[in-house]
Every structure is written in C-alpha cells, then in structure tokens.
C-alpha cells in the first residue's frame, strides 16, 4: 500500500534508525510511556546486539514478532534493520497448527512475544525456536549487558530481506511476501513526500503492526521524516479521538471497518476539535469517507497497493465517487481478461451510477511494466503465478472508466478479507469438513455491506444449528475471523463439467438462493447463534448494501 509505486531504493532502514541517535525529542508514546528518538535508537541497538548473540551462524536471520502494538514492536523493527535481519509479523488471530506453521515456515529462530499471548503457544511444537517474553524480568536481564550498544553500521544493504508479511492465497496456507530494506525505505520516503510529513508530526498507529498497513504506510514515513509515533495496543473506536488529542496526532492509517466503528461512536459537538490532517487507507467506501470528513473535518485518502508491492493506484483531486484513482506514476496498469489477456472494455454506468456491463468490464488488474515485487519466502510456485508472462498479476478485480479511473471489484481467487484479515478459503474448509453432518463443504466470500468480505459456507448434508455452533467453538485452529456468517444448506453441492465444486455459481448466488440459509446477524442483541435467514432479513441486508453504494457487488 503506498502513494506511488516504489522500487528498491539506495537507502536502508538501518540508516534511518541510526539518524535518530542524536535526536532527543519525544518520539514514541504508548500507554503512558514515552521514549525519545534517541532512546528508541538505543533500544533497537541493544536488541540487535542481543539477537546477534542468540542467532546460530547457520540459521536464517529471521525474527518472529507475536506482539500487540507495544513499544517492543518498533524497537524490534529497528533492531532487525541494524542486524540485517528480517521480521515476520505473526498474526495473533491464528490458532494451533496454523500459528505454528507461520512461525516455522518463516524459519524464525527467535520469537518475541508477551505474556498475554503465551496461551496461544501452549502445546505447539516449535523445535529450535527461542521464545523471549518481553514483559518479564528474564527478558530485562537478557538485555542488560547490551545497554550501551550503539546503532553502528551493520551488514544491512538496500537488498537485505527485511519484512516477511503474510498474505493469503487461494489454496493452502498464507504466503510470506518479502520486502527489502531498500523498498521499505523508498516507500517511507514516497509517502512522507506525498503527504508532506514533517518532523513535528505525530503518526497514530492503531492498526496492528503485524500487517503491512501499519508498518509500511504509518511507521515507515514517520521514521523517514523523524516524526513521532503514538501506539494503541489494539484498535479502539471509543479511544480514537481521545488518543488523537492526547498525542497531538496529525496522521493515521486505517482500513474500512475501523472507519465504520469510529463513526458508530456517539457524535459530539467538538468532534472537529482535533489535530488530524490526513487519514490514509483503504476500503472506507465513499459514504463513510464523506461522513468522516463531515464529522471530524479530516479527509480520508483512499489508496490501493498490492501487498507485495507490484502495483499501486493513486488518488488525486477529481477522482470520481467510488473510484480508487489512476495508476501511480511508472505503473503500466491494465484490466485484463485472465484467460485471453485482452484488455476489458471501459465501464458503462447507468443514470444511478450502477455499473451496467460488469460481465465484460471487470477483469484482473495487471501491471505490465517494471515493478518492485520481491517474491515470496520459499514459494517458487506462488512467485511464478504472480509474475506469469513477465507481468505482475495482482489477483484483484477492477474495472476502468473511459477516463482511466480504476474501481475495485473484488478478488479473483478464493481469498476473503474479513475485518481487514486476509483468509484462505481452503483453510476454513479443512476445518469445517470435520463437522459430522457435512458430506461436502465449500467456503467463499460474499461482500460485506461496508467493506471487504464476509464468510459464507455451503454445507451438503445435514445441518443442526446448535450442534454446528458447538462444533465451531470446539475447533482449536478456527481463527477469530473464520466462523461463517452465512451457512447455505443443500442436498448436493453444485459441480462443474469436470466435477469440481462450482464456486463461481455459489459466489454469484450468495445468500439470495433457493436453499435454506442460516446466519448470525452482526451485532444483534441476544442472537448468540445461527437462525434462519428470512425474506425480510434479505431485504434489510440489500438495503444496507444500497445505502453504502455496494449493491452492485451482489450482482457479480
């Protein structure tokens, strides 16, 4: 995600950390604790020295970080930069074997965590992994010998592997996308320039730092400009405005669901009394973005950037309602039919603004020019799929109007994005297949009325809602975002001519189908489990999509 497409720069993140050594201004705040830029650089140097002692010479220099947004997260980001190491952000919503797989796949020999997350590691087989628990005396004792360390030039180069951040694929486990020090430093410089970030700014980091959103789009530009960083351990809508005022925050990043939660807090007459200049993110939607600006006096800048760095779309003044923007400078973006590789025709809109020719205008967004995609960790098949034919295939669906503005339309494969979490349908299917009444299971995305997706499952066989609810509660590897919102119950799964599950048909029919559908309404008081989806429920849902300008997504 970025203001423009960036390649591997000539600077390193390590150099940016070193530059803060002589800066004694306040630079990092979290939960009543404040550190100067100098103290952050010194803390990073101490941790880099500790890591060098702990790492075996034969091991990959990878650090797993399983933390909330505490000061330890940016301190270890700085440490990894100085040590020429890579940070793998470990997602605490993952569970059981899937969580262990993420740690072991990225070959993390050191895992940084805190006491609140230790129960997630109970019973996991993590051979060769040294676990450091930050909020303990043992951890402080380990760091003590390195208190005088300085951020000296280390082994880092612009091409040094720096981030391994997970992005879901259409089948199997998440892939770990690679980001080098040079690319992150270049992204930080690009965003700082685009938004005019100054040294006296404060960036509010309320999105989880194990995601690229917070590190690439919030922390990196602050580091580049010498701006301060204020952390919120976990996102809180009610704490958003008090935090912004307390820290004097001028910039933040978001995902659409967070914006909706903030707008749901009670409005006050003084909401516009805040220091924010800009919010930068994705999936807020035109309706919520306008409501946010009206209420808080802050413009939200929507952006699109492939997580892997292969394509970016840049908003600019004059971007039509609902559009993301045009291709960023240097990108040769096209909307292509993935089978024929031919360009899709321009979108045609009706008087009400609805897309009339989605069946031919919607295609996959492809960057046909040079791009900074750096591959996935130990996944050559995924590398080849992403870069087939010498072009970068984003895996995202778009359509383009006659003026070249691009509109996001979904995803090409079986990925789901729920509350800003990327999920793989196959992983959820493997869990739901254990349900005793299921002869066959298919999991797929239906659009969320506000942003992203919701999980829908089709179950062929017998279905008991109470038993299914109990089954879900008993699954140790079912992540917190994976439980289906809708369950379609059918006698037999629809199949294609080659006897594969007809996923396209299931997605197209969604929850408006002839078969019984059970659902769990979002936020409905007293509804602890699944209940039948009625005709009135469907009408109410469609009205919610219409109010948010997302009804056309139900028609794909």
């Amino acid at each position: 995600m970025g203001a423009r497409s960036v390649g591997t720069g000539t600077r390193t993140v390590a150099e940016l950390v070193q530059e803060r050594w002589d800066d004694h201004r306040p630079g990092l705040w979290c939960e009543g604790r404040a550190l100067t830029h100098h103290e952050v650089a010194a803390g990073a140097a101490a941790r880099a020295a500790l890591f060098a002692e702990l790492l075996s010479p034969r091991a990959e220099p990878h650090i797993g970080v399983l933390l909330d947004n505490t000061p330890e997260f940016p301190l270890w980001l700085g440490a990894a930069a100085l040590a020429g190491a890579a940070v793998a952000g470990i997602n605490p919503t993952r569970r059981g074997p899937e969580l262990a797989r993420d740690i072991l796949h990225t070959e993390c020999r050191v895992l940084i965590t805190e006491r609140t997350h230790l129960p997630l590691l109970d019973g996991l087989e993590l051979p060769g992994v040294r676990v450091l628990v930050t909020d303990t005396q043992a951890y402080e004792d380990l760091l003590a010998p390195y208190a005088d360390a300085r951020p000296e030039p280390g082994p880092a180069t612009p091409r040094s592997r720096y981030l391994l951040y997970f992005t879901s694929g259409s089948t199997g486990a998440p892939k770990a996308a690679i980001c080098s020090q040079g690319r992150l430093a270049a992204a930080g410089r690009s965003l700082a320039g685009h938004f005019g970030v100054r040294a006296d700014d404060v960036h509010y980091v309320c999105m989880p730092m194990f995601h690229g959103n917070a590190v690439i789009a919030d922390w990196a530009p602050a580091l580049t400009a010498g701006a301060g960083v204020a952390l919120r351990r976990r996102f809180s809508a009610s704490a958003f405005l008090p935090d912004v005022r307390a820290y004097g925050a001028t910039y933040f990043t978001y995902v659409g669901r967070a914006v909706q939660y903030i707008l749901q807090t009670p409005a006050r007459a003084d909401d516009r009394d805040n220091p924010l200049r800009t919010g930068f993110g994705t999936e807020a939607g035109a309706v919520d973005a306008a409501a946010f600006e009206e209420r808080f006096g802050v413009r939200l800048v929507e952006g699109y950037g492939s997580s892997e760095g292969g394509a970016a779309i840049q908003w600019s003044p004059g971007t039509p309602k609902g559009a993301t923007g045009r291709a960023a400078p240097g990108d040769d973006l096209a909307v292509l039919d993935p089978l024929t590789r031919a360009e899709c025709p321009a979108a045609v809109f009706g008087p009400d603004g609805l897309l009339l020719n989605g069946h031919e205008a919607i295609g996959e967004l492809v960057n046909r020019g040079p791009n900074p995609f750096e591959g996935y960790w130990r996944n050559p098949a995924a590398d080849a799929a992403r870069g087939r034919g010498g072009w970068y295939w984003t895996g995202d669906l778009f359509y383009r109007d006659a003026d070249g503005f691009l509109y996001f339309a979904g995803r090409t494969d079986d990925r789901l994005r729920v509350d800003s979490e990327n999920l793989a349908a196959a992983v959820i299917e493997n869990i739901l297949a254990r349900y005793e009444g299921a002869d066959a299971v298919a999991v797929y995305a239906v659009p969320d009325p506000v942003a992203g997706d919701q999980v829908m499952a089709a179950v062929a066989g017998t279905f008991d809602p109470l038993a299914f609810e109990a089954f879900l509660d008993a699954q140790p590897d079912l992540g917190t975002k994976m439980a289906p919102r809708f369950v379609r119950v059918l006698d037999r799964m629809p199949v294609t001519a080659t006897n594969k599950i007809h996923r396209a048909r299931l997605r197209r029919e969604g929850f408006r189908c002839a078969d019984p559908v059970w659902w769990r309404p979002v936020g409905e008081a007293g509804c602890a489990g699944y209940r039948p989806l009625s005709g009135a429920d469907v009408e109410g849902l469609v009205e919610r999509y219409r109010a948010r300008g997302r009804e056309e997504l139900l028609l794909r």
Side-chain angles (χ1 to χ4, degrees):
M1 176 176 183
R4 58 178 62 86
S5 195
V6 291
T8 299
T10 58
R11 303 208 68 197
T12 66
V13 179
E15 290 170 336
L16 299 176
V17 173
Q18 289 173 286
E19 289 174 1
R20 304 274 76 82
W21 175 257
D22 293 321
D23 188 344
H24 295 273
R25 297 173 302 124
L28 180 64
W29 298 268
C30 183
E31 297 179 340
R33 182 183 178 190
L35 298 175
T36 66
H37 289 288
H38 166 80
E39 289 171 324
V40 172
R47 286 156 180 78
L50 171 62
F51 177 70
E53 289 295 324
L54 295 177
L55 186 69
S56 165
R58 296 180 298 278
E60 293 288 350
H62 295 175
I63 305 165
V65 179
L66 177 61
L67 294 172
D68 292 333
N69 288 0
T70 69
E72 289 291 338
F73 211 125
L75 288 172
W76 275 100
L77 284 171
L82 295 171
V87 168
I90 306 300
N91 186 339
T93 70
R94 301 270 284 170
R95 294 293 185 271
E98 298 298 330
L99 178 63
R101 180 264 171 197
D102 292 350
I103 298 167
L104 297 176
H105 171 67
T106 47
E107 300 183 48
C108 297
R109 292 295 175 258
V110 175
L111 177 67
I112 312 300
T113 191
E114 53 192 320
R115 283 182 291 182
T116 188
H117 289 321
L118 284 178
L120 299 178
L121 304 178
D122 286 347
L124 299 189
E125 294 293 331
L126 299 172
V129 178
R130 175 76 177 270
V131 178
L132 304 185
V133 185
T134 59
D135 48 349
T136 62
Q137 187 59 48
Y139 177 73
E140 295 299 326
D141 292 343
L142 280 173
L143 280 174
Y146 309 102
D148 295 329
R150 295 174 61 94
E152 301 293 346
T157 72
R159 295 192 176 278
S160 293
R161 194 164 52 248
Y162 182 55
L163 298 178
L164 298 170
Y165 50 102
F166 286 102
T167 177
S168 297
S170 60
T171 58
K175 306 181 293 291
I178 298 169
C179 178
S180 66
Q181 289 211 26
R183 180 155 76 89
L184 187 69
R189 182 176 66 252
S190 173
L191 284 164
H194 185 73
F195 291 112
V197 181
R198 306 184 302 261
D200 59 351
D201 281 323
V202 175
H203 284 210
Y204 181 52
V205 182
C206 55
M207 296 292 99
M209 294 192 76
F210 60 79
H211 274 174
N213 173 287
V215 175
I216 298 173
D218 214 344
W219 180 76
L223 180 66
T224 300
V229 170
L231 302 177
R232 160 61 55 174
R233 175 181 282 270
R234 295 178 185 172
F235 172 76
S236 167
S238 61
F240 176 81
L241 196 55
D243 277 355
V244 163
R245 289 169 171 161
Y247 296 125
T250 54
Y251 171 101
F252 76 105
T253 60
Y254 65 87
V255 293
R257 181 66 67 180
V259 170
Q260 183 199 21
Y261 290 153
I262 294 169
L263 289 171
Q264 288 174 348
T265 61
R268 295 172 53 95
D270 63 348
D271 280 342
R272 281 176 164 257
D273 181 16
N274 67 76
L276 282 172
R277 291 201 312 271
T278 306
F280 178 50
T282 186
E283 298 180 356
V287 173
D288 284 346
F292 194 93
E293 183 169 6
E294 173 66 24
R295 177 172 167 183
F296 299 104
V298 180
R299 182 171 64 89
L300 300 183
V301 178
E302 285 281 298
Y304 168 85
S306 169
S307 298
E308 296 86 345
I313 299 172
Q314 184 171 313
W315 183 94
S316 60
T319 297
K321 179 181 177 180
T324 305
R326 287 190 172 105
D331 281 355
D332 178 15
L333 299 188
V335 178
L336 304 183
D337 182 315
L339 297 179
T340 65
R341 294 165 62 100
E343 287 203 44
C344 297
V348 177
F349 300 99
D352 54 4
L354 291 181
L355 179 66
L356 299 180
N357 64 334
H359 62 287
E360 60 177 1
I362 294 175
E364 184 168 354
L365 186 70
V366 179
N367 188 355
R368 299 177 296 190
N371 65 81
F373 174 52
E374 296 176 301
Y376 298 105
W377 177 250
R378 304 256 193 254
N379 200 332
D383 290 345
R386 187 66 72 196
R388 60 188 185 275
W391 295 346
Y392 179 84
W393 296 73
T394 66
D396 290 323
L397 298 173
F398 276 81
Y399 51 97
R400 189 197 296 256
D401 67 20
D403 296 318
F405 289 99
L406 292 154
Y407 300 71
F408 180 71
R411 289 167 178 80
T412 60
D413 52 25
D414 291 326
R415 284 180 293 169
L416 304 87
R417 186 169 175 83
V418 180
D419 284 349
S420 307
E421 292 287 343
N422 286 325
L423 306 176
V427 172
I428 306 175
E429 286 178 357
N430 290 338
I431 298 171
L432 299 188
R434 305 169 193 157
Y435 176 59
E436 187 175 3
D439 298 323
V441 174
V443 170
Y444 46 99
V446 293
D448 183 272
V450 177
D453 305 317
Q454 292 183 357
V455 180
M456 186 164 183
V459 175
T462 59
F463 181 79
D464 181 310
L466 293 179
F468 187 73
E469 184 81 11
F471 161 80
L472 294 178
D473 290 341
Q475 305 311 302
D477 51 349
L478 187 75
T480 57
K481 312 293 186 184
M482 292 181 178
R485 178 70 59 197
F486 301 94
V487 179
R488 176 178 179 174
V489 182
L490 15 65
D491 294 327
R492 181 179 298 175
M493 199 72 70
V495 296
T496 65
T498 56
N499 286 318
K500 294 182 179 179
I501 292 178
H502 203 320
R503 298 178 186 278
R505 174 180 162 186
L506 291 171
R507 281 194 293 264
R508 183 172 62 250
E509 294 176 347
F511 52 77
R512 298 187 293 185
C513 58
D515 296 307
V517 175
W518 296 76
W519 76 313
R520 294 197 294 187
V522 178
E524 181 171 302
C527 184
Y530 290 90
R531 66 172 175 82
L533 181 72
S534 68
D537 291 330
V538 172
E539 291 178 7
L541 279 168
V542 172
E543 182 55 38
R544 289 189 63 200
Y545 286 92
R546 185 176 297 121
R548 301 284 181 173
R550 289 171 63 84
E551 185 182 9
E552 71 273 11
L553 297 183
L554 296 175
L555 306 177
R556 288 193 285 108

